[in-house]
């Protein structure tokens, strides 16, 4: 599975959009991009995933570049409860039961 | 409520004393996994199960056993715990969704300390 690169930390003002980047330059054609987050030491929480097209759900939007080498998770109106570690993961469908969680990006939402 | 439950949530034990951490899901998921999380190392998969009676090693299986006798339960067994197994453990179950990609649902975690 392709590895990902994320900034170790980011800050975002409450109410503003949080844009979390992820680089996955070695991604292959059958690999999906997943985003999870972990609040404090709770179990990771699934946010969104995509293959080629941009995706949106009630939590976030996922923008994948045309060459699929990078993506951005967007939290449209960040709240204090969005403070967490965000993980960008790339995995094949058949390997998606074993997701490699790296060290992620620690997002701090500031009042 | 759809959920993954783990018990116990906290456990302090001594080296060599066998223990079992239970995991149960009520979503009828086929896939279940165990992960451990250690500072600076992220989450690493210990074992996973594709279905009843089907289990396989993950990335760090040494010192652990699992069983999958029922679809909803996936216990993690430490036959002879050692201090290097002190960690935060998560159980997860997977839903097959659109595009055949899997969304994992995680339990609340079990913090294990082996002295």
């Amino acid at each position: 599975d392709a590895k990902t690169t994320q900034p170790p930390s980011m800050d975002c003002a409450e109410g503003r959009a949080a844009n979390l980047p992820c680089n996955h330059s070695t991604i292959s054609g059958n690999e999906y991009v997943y985003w999870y987050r972990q609040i404090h030491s709770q179990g990771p929480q699934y946010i969104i995933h995509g293959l080629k097209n941009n995706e949106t759900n009630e939590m976030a939007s996922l923008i994948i570049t045309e060459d699929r080498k990078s993506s951005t998770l967007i939290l449209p109106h960040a709240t204090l409860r969005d403070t967490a570690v965000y993980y960008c993961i790339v995995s094949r469908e058949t390997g998606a039961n074993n997701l490699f969680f790296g060290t992620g990006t620690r997002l701090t939402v500031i009042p | 409520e759809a959920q993954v439950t783990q018990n116990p949530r906290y456990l302090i034990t001594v080296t060599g004393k066998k223990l079992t951490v239970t995991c149960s899901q009520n979503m009828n998921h086929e896939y279940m996994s165990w992960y451990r999380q250690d500072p600076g190392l992220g989450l690493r998969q210990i074992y996973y199960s594709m279905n009843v009676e089907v289990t396989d090693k993950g990335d760090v299986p040494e010192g652990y056993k699992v069983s999958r006798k029922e679809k909803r339960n996936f216990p993690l067994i430490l036959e002879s715990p050692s201090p290097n197994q002190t960690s935060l453990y998560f159980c997860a179950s997977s839903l097959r969704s659109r595009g055949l990609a899997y969304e994992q649902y995680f339990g609340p975690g079990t913090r294990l300390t082996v002295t």
Side-chain angles (χ1 to χ4, degrees):
Chain A
D1 293 338
K3 292 295 183 281
T4 62
T5 303
Q6 299 177 253
S9 65
M10 292 181 62
D11 293 337
C12 177
E14 187 178 16
R16 304 295 295 270
N19 296 277
L20 292 91
C22 180
N23 194 307
H24 31 80
S25 57
T26 60
I27 192 170
S28 59
N30 62 350
E31 290 182 314
Y32 289 78
V33 179
Y34 295 82
W35 283 85
Y36 283 76
R37 73 180 182 183
Q38 187 174 24
I39 297 172
H40 194 46
S41 292
Q42 298 177 20
Q45 176 188 22
Y46 165 83
I47 301 173
I48 199 167
H49 74 275
L51 182 62
K52 295 180 181 178
N53 301 321
N54 298 337
E55 302 287 347
T56 295
N57 63 20
E58 65 278 4
M59 289 183 67
S61 295
L62 173 61
I63 308 298
I64 303 174
T65 58
E66 191 169 344
D67 63 8
R68 302 210 321 126
K69 294 185 176 182
S70 65
S71 61
T72 301
L73 179 74
I74 300 172
L75 308 178
H77 305 286
T79 71
L80 298 179
R81 288 177 296 179
D82 291 322
T83 293
V85 178
Y86 287 78
Y87 297 96
C88 170
I89 304 161
V90 172
S91 181
R92 294 169 289 113
E93 177 267 338
T94 53
N97 196 47
N98 179 7
L99 299 177
F100 177 75
F101 288 76
T103 52
T105 296
R106 181 172 298 279
L107 174 70
T108 302
V109 180
I110 302 168
Chain B
E1 179 189 355
Q3 60 182 348
V4 178
T5 57
Q6 296 179 225
N7 282 293
R9 295 289 312 281
Y10 302 90
L11 179 61
I12 301 174
T13 189
V14 297
T15 298
K17 186 176 181 181
K18 181 179 178 179
L19 67 92
T20 299
V21 183
T22 64
C23 173
S24 183
Q25 52 93 5
N26 62 1
M27 295 169 280
N28 202 35
H29 288 171
E30 292 180 335
Y31 306 90
M32 298 185 73
S33 306
W34 275 102
Y35 291 84
R36 61 177 288 174
Q37 185 173 29
D38 303 290
L41 296 176
L43 279 84
R44 295 177 292 168
Q45 192 180 60
I46 303 170
Y47 268 94
Y48 66 94
S49 170
M50 304 287 275
N51 213 327
V52 175
E53 302 292 0
V54 180
T55 63
D56 208 346
K57 297 177 180 178
D59 300 316
V60 288
E62 293 76 22
Y64 304 95
K65 286 176 58 177
V66 293
S67 68
R68 187 90 182 275
K69 292 182 168 53
E70 305 166 282
K71 197 172 187 178
R72 63 182 293 127
N73 296 323
F74 190 44
L76 179 69
I77 303 158
L78 284 73
E79 294 272 3
S80 183
S82 63
N84 64 13
Q85 292 179 298
T86 292
S87 187
L88 179 59
Y89 290 85
F90 291 103
C91 179
S93 69
S94 300
L95 168 70
R96 181 185 287 263
S97 70
R98 61 176 174 78
L100 302 180
Y102 302 121
E103 306 164 26
Q104 293 204 45
Y105 294 79
F106 285 80
T110 294
R111 188 169 292 281
L112 172 66
T113 302
V114 183
T115 61

